[in-house]
Amino acid sequence: MQVQVMTVTLTQAAPSLHWGKADVTFEGQKAFIHLNGNAPLRQVQMAARKIRSQGINQVQLEGELWTLDLQWVFAQGFATAKPGYEVLWCGDEAEQQTLAHRLEAANFARKLTNDTPEDLSPVSLATQAANWLKAIGGDKVSFNLIEGQALLEKKWVGIHAVGRGSDRPPALLELDFNPLSADAPVDIALVGKGITFDSGGYSLKSSVGMLAMKCDMGGAATVTAALGLAIKSGLNKRVKLYLCCAENLVSGHAFKLGDILTYKNGTTVEIVNTDAEGRLVLADGLQAASESGAKLIIDAATLTGAAVMAVSNEYNAIFSPQTETIKMAQQCAAAVGENVWPLPLDPWHRDACPSAYADTANSRPVKGGGAGGASNAAGFLWRFVSPNANWLHIDLAAAFESSATGLWGAGATAHGVLTVAELLKR
């Protein structure tokens, strides 16, 4: 049976009177989005959700008003966690190729993030990421996977501690994209949080709080997809990628409250909340990134509920000690139609989680880490970043929707992939 394709056209004309104030109208197999001049990107994405909710699976975008960014946000709103839908682009060949590359990267991030915890183990996450980038970058990509007890031999104690409660080993992926000479300096290092399932450990989450925790590797998916997109777009600088992968489970082998970890840089950390595990694995990744000598280090993580409370799930929160780095991130996000918002990060945030037994605790021993939880988490991470590097921390408040909204279908959004890819190109 031939599938009927609905055409979707943008128009600045008001709808016919019988449609009232509707911003989406239909005539047979044609849909019209009536632009009203207010936040067109948001309006088009919401219109795409309305069209998709009618059970429409395949659309052809038509007309002269479709820009690259408007087509992209339409596709974002049209996407769902279940397959079987398609958006056919319009515009010139270059625009369509750009959109196709974006879609491949976003779909890769979505698939990884939406995969079940049973199907996506830490090693599987690292392996899939490495193989996908290898398929794109060819012999310009090399990688090394460190897993299980080998992590301790390399002194990556955070990833090992968080993942040791699971029967499936934790892992650190070290990946090098180098289109230049063998001794070329590393321009940028990417670090991604790859917690494939987060029970909270002995600081156990509620059942409802645990339900969406397959998304806790959204940072790893985001930076991997961004690097793949940048490579497809002609990236010509050396970039290293570090994915910090583990399952945070409860068992007789799991790490416990009161434990003290001694990191590779000598920093000691008291565990006061096993549900503040993301920063523990990122600490290893940030040290590895610092060792690479990268001029800029970018980490991405679904790190704190506090960031969601501060900026909602329509923005990603950003942090940096350098004003210039914040401005660059804002410019890159704006250039691709994504939303970021800076939150405070001052030197005293590094001491915002004190411990009587160690240099720092991994959180405050109160629900959600207490006031300023997102900044406190960023301050903790700052301890593990080289003082010689510029650093951007992205708390991915907008990476996942537990249920469908007016802008997004339920599941992974891939919001943040374009921002990181744009940063790689700068």
Coordinates of all heavy atoms in Angstrom, one line a residue, residues 175-257:
L175 N 39.2 8.0 23.0 CA 39.2 8.0 21.6 C 39.9 9.3 21.0 O 39.7 10.3 21.6 CB 37.7 8.0 21.1 CG 37.5 7.9 19.6 CD1 36.4 6.9 19.2 CD2 37.2 9.3 18.9
D176 N 40.6 9.1 19.9 CA 41.4 10.1 19.4 C 41.0 10.3 17.9 O 41.2 9.4 17.1 CB 42.9 9.8 19.5 CG 43.9 10.9 19.0 OD1 43.4 12.0 18.7 OD2 45.1 10.7 19.0
F177 N 40.5 11.5 17.6 CA 40.3 11.9 16.2 C 41.4 12.8 15.8 O 41.5 13.9 16.3 CB 38.9 12.6 16.0 CG 38.8 13.2 14.6 CD1 38.6 12.3 13.5 CD2 38.8 14.5 14.4 CE1 38.5 12.9 12.2 CE2 38.7 15.1 13.1 CZ 38.5 14.2 12.0
N178 N 42.3 12.4 14.8 CA 43.4 13.1 14.5 C 43.6 13.2 12.9 O 44.2 12.2 12.3 CB 44.7 12.6 15.1 CG 45.9 13.4 14.9 OD1 45.8 14.5 14.3 ND2 47.1 13.0 15.3
P179 N 43.1 14.2 12.3 CA 43.2 14.4 10.8 C 44.6 15.0 10.5 O 44.8 15.3 9.3 CB 42.1 15.3 10.5 CG 41.9 16.2 11.7 CD 42.3 15.3 12.9
L180 N 45.4 15.3 11.4 CA 46.7 16.0 11.2 C 47.9 15.1 11.4 O 47.7 13.9 11.2 CB 46.7 17.2 12.2 CG 45.5 18.1 12.2 CD1 45.6 19.1 13.3 CD2 45.4 18.8 10.8
S181 N 49.0 15.6 11.8 CA 50.2 14.8 12.0 C 50.1 14.0 13.3 O 49.3 14.4 14.2 CB 51.4 15.6 12.0 OG 51.4 16.6 13.0
A182 N 50.9 13.0 13.5 CA 50.9 12.2 14.7 C 51.2 13.0 15.9 O 50.7 12.7 17.0 CB 51.9 11.0 14.6
D183 N 52.0 14.0 15.8 CA 52.4 14.8 17.0 C 51.6 16.1 17.1 O 52.0 17.0 17.9 CB 53.9 15.1 17.0 CG 54.3 15.9 15.8 OD1 53.5 16.0 14.8 OD2 55.5 16.3 15.7
A184 N 50.5 16.2 16.4 CA 49.7 17.4 16.4 C 49.1 17.6 17.9 O 48.7 16.6 18.5 CB 48.5 17.3 15.4
P185 N 49.1 18.9 18.3 CA 48.5 19.1 19.7 C 47.0 18.8 19.7 O 46.3 19.0 18.6 CB 48.8 20.6 19.9 CG 48.9 21.2 18.6 CD 49.5 20.1 17.7
V186 N 46.4 18.5 20.8 CA 45.0 18.3 21.0 C 44.3 19.6 21.1 O 44.7 20.4 22.0 CB 44.7 17.4 22.2 CG1 43.2 17.2 22.4 CG2 45.3 16.0 22.0
D187 N 43.4 19.9 20.3 CA 42.7 21.2 20.3 C 41.6 21.2 21.3 O 41.5 22.1 22.2 CB 42.2 21.6 18.9 CG 41.8 23.0 18.8 OD1 42.7 23.8 18.5 OD2 40.6 23.4 19.0
I188 N 40.8 20.2 21.3 CA 39.6 20.1 22.2 C 39.5 18.7 22.8 O 39.7 17.7 22.0 CB 38.3 20.5 21.5 CG1 38.4 22.0 21.0 CG2 37.1 20.3 22.4 CD1 37.2 22.4 20.2
A189 N 39.1 18.6 24.0 CA 38.8 17.3 24.6 C 37.4 17.3 25.1 O 36.9 18.3 25.7 CB 39.7 17.0 25.8
L190 N 36.7 16.2 24.7 CA 35.3 16.1 25.1 C 35.2 15.0 26.2 O 35.8 13.9 26.1 CB 34.4 15.7 23.9 CG 34.4 16.6 22.7 CD1 33.7 16.0 21.6 CD2 33.8 17.9 23.1
V191 N 34.3 15.2 27.2 CA 34.1 14.2 28.3 C 32.6 14.1 28.4 O 31.9 15.0 28.5 CB 34.7 14.7 29.6 CG1 34.5 13.7 30.7 CG2 36.2 15.1 29.4
G192 N 32.2 12.8 28.5 CA 30.7 12.5 28.6 C 30.4 11.6 29.7 O 31.1 10.6 29.9
K193 N 29.4 11.9 30.5 CA 28.9 11.0 31.5 C 28.1 9.9 30.9 O 27.1 10.2 30.2 CB 28.0 11.8 32.5 CG 27.4 11.0 33.6 CD 26.4 11.8 34.4 CE 25.5 10.9 35.3 NZ 24.5 11.7 36.1
G194 N 28.5 8.7 31.2 CA 27.9 7.5 30.6 C 27.3 6.5 31.6 O 27.7 5.4 31.6
I195 N 26.5 7.0 32.5 CA 25.8 6.1 33.5 C 24.6 5.5 32.8 O 23.6 6.1 32.6 CB 25.4 6.9 34.7 CG1 26.6 7.6 35.4 CG2 24.7 5.9 35.7 CD1 27.6 6.7 35.9
T196 N 24.8 4.2 32.4 CA 23.8 3.5 31.6 C 22.5 3.2 32.4 O 21.5 3.0 31.8 CB 24.3 2.2 31.0 OG1 24.9 1.4 32.0 CG2 25.4 2.6 30.0
F197 N 22.6 3.1 33.7 CA 21.4 3.1 34.6 C 21.8 3.6 36.0 O 22.9 3.2 36.5 CB 20.8 1.7 34.7 CG 19.6 1.7 35.5 CD1 18.4 2.2 34.9 CD2 19.5 1.2 36.8 CE1 17.2 2.3 35.7 CE2 18.3 1.2 37.5 CZ 17.2 1.7 36.9
D198 N 21.0 4.4 36.5 CA 21.3 5.0 37.9 C 20.2 4.7 38.8 O 19.1 5.3 38.9 CB 21.5 6.5 37.7 CG 21.8 7.1 39.1 OD1 22.3 6.4 40.0 OD2 21.6 8.4 39.2
S199 N 20.5 3.7 39.7 CA 19.5 3.3 40.8 C 19.6 4.3 41.9 O 18.8 4.3 42.8 CB 19.8 1.9 41.3 OG 21.0 1.9 42.0
G200 N 20.7 5.1 41.9 CA 21.0 5.9 43.1 C 22.0 5.2 44.1 O 22.5 5.8 45.0
G201 N 22.3 3.9 43.8 CA 23.1 3.1 44.7 C 22.4 3.0 46.1 O 21.2 3.0 46.2
Y202 N 23.2 3.0 47.2 CA 22.6 2.9 48.5 C 21.8 4.1 48.9 O 20.9 4.1 49.8 CB 23.7 2.6 49.5 CG 24.0 1.1 49.5 CD1 25.2 0.6 49.0 CD2 23.1 0.2 50.0 CE1 25.5 -0.7 49.0 CE2 23.4 -1.2 50.0 CZ 24.5 -1.6 49.4 OH 24.8 -3.0 49.4
S203 N 22.0 5.3 48.2 CA 21.1 6.4 48.3 C 20.0 6.2 47.3 O 19.9 7.0 46.4 CB 21.9 7.7 48.1 OG 23.0 7.8 49.0
L204 N 19.2 5.2 47.5 CA 18.3 4.7 46.5 C 17.2 5.7 46.1 O 16.6 6.3 46.9 CB 17.6 3.4 47.0 CG 17.0 2.5 46.1 CD1 18.0 1.8 45.1 CD2 16.2 1.4 46.8
K205 N 17.1 5.8 44.7 CA 16.0 6.6 44.2 C 14.7 5.9 44.4 O 14.6 4.7 44.6 CB 16.2 6.8 42.7 CG 17.4 7.6 42.3 CD 17.5 7.7 40.8 CE 18.7 8.5 40.3 NZ 18.6 9.9 40.6
S206 N 13.6 6.7 44.3 CA 12.2 6.1 44.3 C 12.0 5.4 43.0 O 12.7 5.7 42.0 CB 11.2 7.3 44.5 OG 11.2 8.1 43.4
S207 N 11.0 4.6 42.9 CA 10.7 4.0 41.7 C 10.4 5.0 40.5 O 10.9 4.8 39.4 CB 9.4 3.1 41.9 OG 9.1 2.4 40.7
V208 N 9.6 6.0 40.8 CA 9.3 7.0 39.8 C 10.6 7.7 39.4 O 10.9 8.0 38.2 CB 8.3 8.0 40.3 CG1 8.2 9.2 39.4 CG2 7.0 7.3 40.6
G209 N 11.5 8.0 40.4 CA 12.7 8.7 40.1 C 13.7 7.9 39.3 O 14.6 8.4 38.6
M210 N 13.5 6.6 39.4 CA 14.4 5.7 38.7 C 14.0 5.3 37.3 O 14.8 4.9 36.5 CB 14.5 4.3 39.5 CG 15.8 3.6 39.5 SD 15.8 2.1 40.4 CE 15.6 2.7 42.1
L211 N 12.7 5.6 37.0 CA 12.1 5.1 35.7 C 12.8 5.6 34.5 O 13.0 4.9 33.5 CB 10.6 5.5 35.7 CG 9.8 5.0 34.5 CD1 9.9 3.5 34.3 CD2 8.4 5.5 34.6
A212 N 13.2 6.9 34.5 CA 13.9 7.5 33.3 C 15.4 7.4 33.3 O 16.0 8.0 32.5 CB 13.4 8.9 33.2
M213 N 16.0 6.6 34.3 CA 17.4 6.7 34.5 C 18.2 6.0 33.4 O 19.4 5.9 33.5 CB 17.8 6.3 35.9 CG 17.5 7.3 36.9 SD 18.4 8.9 36.6 CE 17.1 9.9 35.9
K214 N 17.6 5.4 32.4 CA 18.3 5.0 31.3 C 18.9 6.2 30.5 O 19.8 6.0 29.7 CB 17.4 4.2 30.3 CG 16.3 5.0 29.7 CD 15.4 4.1 28.9 CE 14.2 4.9 28.3 NZ 13.3 4.0 27.5
C215 N 18.4 7.4 30.8 CA 18.9 8.6 30.1 C 20.1 9.1 30.7 O 20.7 10.1 30.2 CB 17.8 9.6 30.1 SG 17.7 10.6 31.6
D216 N 20.6 8.5 31.8 CA 21.7 9.1 32.5 C 23.1 9.0 31.8 O 24.1 9.4 32.3 CB 21.8 8.5 33.9 CG 22.3 9.6 35.0 OD1 22.2 10.8 34.7 OD2 22.7 9.2 36.1
M217 N 23.1 8.5 30.6 CA 24.3 8.4 29.7 C 24.1 9.4 28.6 O 24.8 9.4 27.6 CB 24.5 7.0 29.2 CG 23.3 6.2 28.8 SD 22.3 7.0 27.6 CE 23.4 7.0 26.2
G218 N 23.1 10.4 28.8 CA 22.9 11.4 27.8 C 24.1 12.2 27.4 O 24.2 12.7 26.3
G219 N 24.9 12.5 28.4 CA 26.1 13.3 28.1 C 27.1 12.6 27.2 O 27.6 13.2 26.3
A220 N 27.3 11.3 27.4 CA 28.1 10.5 26.5 C 27.5 10.5 25.1 O 28.3 10.6 24.1 CB 28.3 9.1 27.0
A221 N 26.2 10.3 25.0 CA 25.6 10.3 23.7 C 25.7 11.6 23.0 O 26.0 11.7 21.8 CB 24.1 9.9 23.8
T222 N 25.6 12.7 23.8 CA 25.7 14.1 23.2 C 27.0 14.4 22.6 O 27.1 14.8 21.5 CB 25.3 15.1 24.3 OG1 23.9 14.9 24.7 CG2 25.4 16.5 23.8
V223 N 28.1 14.1 23.4 CA 29.4 14.5 22.9 C 29.8 13.6 21.8 O 30.5 14.0 20.8 CB 30.5 14.5 24.0 CG1 30.2 15.7 25.0 CG2 30.6 13.2 24.8
T224 N 29.4 12.3 21.8 CA 29.8 11.4 20.7 C 29.1 11.8 19.4 O 29.7 11.9 18.4 CB 29.3 10.0 21.1 OG1 30.0 9.5 22.2 CG2 29.7 9.0 19.9
A225 N 27.8 12.1 19.5 CA 27.0 12.5 18.3 C 27.6 13.8 17.8 O 27.7 14.0 16.6 CB 25.5 12.7 18.7
A226 N 28.0 14.8 18.7 CA 28.5 16.1 18.3 C 29.8 15.9 17.5 O 30.0 16.5 16.5 CB 28.7 16.9 19.5
L227 N 30.7 15.0 18.0 CA 31.9 14.8 17.3 C 31.7 14.1 15.9 O 32.3 14.5 14.9 CB 32.8 13.9 18.2 CG 34.2 13.5 17.6 CD1 35.0 14.8 17.1 CD2 35.0 12.7 18.5
G228 N 30.8 13.2 15.9 CA 30.5 12.6 14.6 C 29.9 13.6 13.6 O 30.3 13.6 12.4
L229 N 29.1 14.5 14.1 CA 28.5 15.5 13.2 C 29.6 16.5 12.7 O 29.7 16.8 11.5 CB 27.4 16.3 13.9 CG 26.8 17.5 13.2 CD1 26.2 17.1 11.9 CD2 25.8 18.2 14.1
A230 N 30.5 16.8 13.6 CA 31.6 17.8 13.3 C 32.5 17.1 12.2 O 33.0 17.8 11.3 CB 32.4 18.2 14.5
I231 N 32.8 15.8 12.4 CA 33.7 15.1 11.5 C 33.0 15.1 10.1 O 33.7 15.4 9.0 CB 34.0 13.7 11.9 CG1 34.8 13.7 13.2 CG2 34.7 12.9 10.9 CD1 35.0 12.4 13.9
K232 N 31.7 14.8 10.0 CA 31.0 14.8 8.8 C 31.0 16.2 8.1 O 30.9 16.3 6.9 CB 29.6 14.3 9.0 CG 29.4 12.8 9.0 CD 28.0 12.4 9.2 CE 27.8 10.9 8.9 NZ 28.0 10.6 7.5
S233 N 31.1 17.2 9.0 CA 31.1 18.6 8.4 C 32.5 19.1 8.1 O 32.6 20.3 7.8 CB 30.5 19.5 9.5 OG 29.2 19.1 9.8
G234 N 33.5 18.2 8.1 CA 34.8 18.6 7.7 C 35.8 19.0 8.8 O 36.7 19.8 8.5
L235 N 35.6 18.6 10.0 CA 36.4 19.0 11.1 C 37.9 18.7 10.8 O 38.2 17.6 10.4 CB 36.0 18.3 12.4 CG 36.7 18.6 13.7 CD1 36.4 20.0 14.1 CD2 36.3 17.6 14.8
N236 N 38.7 19.7 11.0 CA 40.2 19.5 10.7 C 41.0 19.9 11.9 O 42.0 20.7 11.7 CB 40.5 20.4 9.5 CG 41.9 20.0 8.9 OD1 42.2 18.8 8.9 ND2 42.7 20.9 8.4
K237 N 40.7 19.4 13.1 CA 41.5 19.6 14.2 C 41.5 18.4 15.1 O 40.6 17.5 14.9 CB 41.0 20.8 15.0 CG 39.6 20.7 15.5 CD 39.1 21.9 16.3 CE 39.0 23.1 15.5 NZ 38.4 24.2 16.2
R238 N 42.5 18.2 15.9 CA 42.6 17.0 16.7 C 41.7 17.1 17.9 O 41.8 18.1 18.7 CB 44.1 16.8 17.1 CG 44.3 15.4 17.8 CD 45.7 15.1 18.1 NE 45.9 13.8 18.6 CZ 47.1 13.3 19.0 NH1 48.2 14.1 18.9 NH2 47.2 12.1 19.5
V239 N 40.9 16.1 18.1 CA 39.9 16.1 19.2 C 40.0 14.7 19.9 O 40.1 13.7 19.3 CB 38.5 16.3 18.8 CG1 37.5 16.2 19.9 CG2 38.3 17.7 18.1
K240 N 40.1 14.8 21.3 CA 40.0 13.5 22.0 C 38.7 13.5 22.8 O 38.1 14.5 23.2 CB 41.2 13.5 23.0 CG 42.5 13.2 22.4 CD 43.5 12.6 23.3 CE 44.8 12.1 22.6 NZ 45.7 11.4 23.4
L241 N 38.2 12.2 22.9 CA 36.9 12.0 23.5 C 37.1 11.0 24.6 O 37.7 9.9 24.4 CB 35.9 11.4 22.4 CG 34.6 10.9 22.9 CD1 33.6 12.0 23.2 CD2 34.0 9.9 21.9
Y242 N 36.4 11.3 25.8 CA 36.5 10.4 26.9 C 35.1 10.1 27.4 O 34.4 11.0 27.8 CB 37.3 11.0 28.0 CG 38.7 11.3 27.6 CD1 39.1 12.6 27.1 CD2 39.8 10.4 27.7 CE1 40.4 12.9 26.7 CE2 41.1 10.7 27.3 CZ 41.3 12.0 26.8 OH 42.6 12.3 26.4
L243 N 34.7 8.9 27.4 CA 33.3 8.5 27.9 C 33.5 7.7 29.1 O 34.2 6.7 29.2 CB 32.6 7.6 26.8 CG 32.3 8.3 25.5 CD1 31.4 7.4 24.6 CD2 31.8 9.7 25.6
C244 N 32.9 8.1 30.2 CA 33.0 7.6 31.5 C 31.7 6.7 31.8 O 30.7 7.3 32.2 CB 33.1 8.7 32.6 SG 34.4 9.9 32.1
C245 N 31.9 5.4 31.7 CA 30.7 4.5 31.6 C 30.6 3.6 32.7 O 31.6 2.9 33.1 CB 30.7 3.7 30.3 SG 31.0 4.7 28.8
A246 N 29.4 3.5 33.4 CA 29.2 2.6 34.5 C 27.7 2.5 34.8 O 26.9 3.3 34.3 CB 29.9 3.2 35.8
E247 N 27.3 1.4 35.5 CA 26.0 1.2 36.0 C 26.1 1.5 37.5 O 27.0 0.9 38.2 CB 25.5 -0.2 35.8 CG 25.0 -0.5 34.4 CD 24.5 -1.9 34.2 OE1 25.1 -2.9 34.8 OE2 23.5 -2.1 33.6
N248 N 25.2 2.3 38.1 CA 25.2 2.5 39.5 C 24.1 1.7 40.1 O 23.0 2.1 40.2 CB 24.9 4.0 39.7 CG 25.0 4.4 41.2 OD1 25.7 3.7 42.0 ND2 24.4 5.5 41.6
L249 N 24.5 0.5 40.6 CA 23.6 -0.4 41.2 C 23.9 -0.8 42.7 O 25.0 -0.4 43.2 CB 23.6 -1.7 40.4 CG 23.2 -1.6 38.9 CD1 23.3 -3.0 38.2 CD2 21.9 -1.0 38.7
V250 N 23.0 -1.5 43.3 CA 23.2 -1.9 44.7 C 23.5 -3.4 44.7 O 22.9 -4.2 44.1 CB 21.9 -1.7 45.5 CG1 22.0 -2.1 46.9 CG2 21.5 -0.2 45.4
S251 N 24.6 -3.7 45.4 CA 25.0 -5.1 45.6 C 26.0 -5.1 46.8 O 26.4 -4.1 47.3 CB 25.6 -5.7 44.4 OG 26.9 -5.2 44.2
G252 N 26.4 -6.3 47.1 CA 27.5 -6.5 48.1 C 28.8 -5.9 47.7 O 29.7 -5.8 48.5
H253 N 28.9 -5.6 46.4 CA 30.2 -5.0 45.9 C 30.1 -3.5 45.7 O 31.1 -2.9 45.3 CB 30.6 -5.6 44.6 CG 30.7 -7.1 44.7 ND1 31.8 -7.7 45.3 CD2 30.0 -8.1 44.2 CE1 31.7 -9.0 45.2 NE2 30.6 -9.3 44.5
A254 N 28.9 -2.9 45.9 CA 28.7 -1.5 45.6 C 29.5 -0.6 46.6 O 29.7 -0.9 47.7 CB 27.2 -1.2 45.6
F255 N 29.8 0.6 46.1 CA 30.4 1.6 47.0 C 29.4 2.1 47.9 O 28.2 2.1 47.7 CB 31.1 2.7 46.2 CG 30.3 3.7 45.5 CD1 30.5 5.1 45.8 CD2 29.2 3.4 44.7 CE1 29.8 6.1 45.2 CE2 28.5 4.4 44.0 CZ 28.7 5.7 44.3
K256 N 29.9 2.6 49.1 CA 29.0 2.9 50.2 C 29.2 4.3 50.7 O 30.3 4.9 50.5 CB 29.3 1.9 51.4 CG 29.0 0.5 51.0 CD 29.5 -0.5 52.0 CE 31.0 -0.7 52.0 NZ 31.5 -1.3 50.8
L257 N 28.2 4.8 51.4 CA 28.3 6.1 52.1 C 29.4 6.0 53.1 O 29.5 5.1 53.9 CB 27.0 6.6 52.7 CG 26.0 7.0 51.7 CD1 25.2 5.9 51.1 CD2 25.0 8.0 52.3

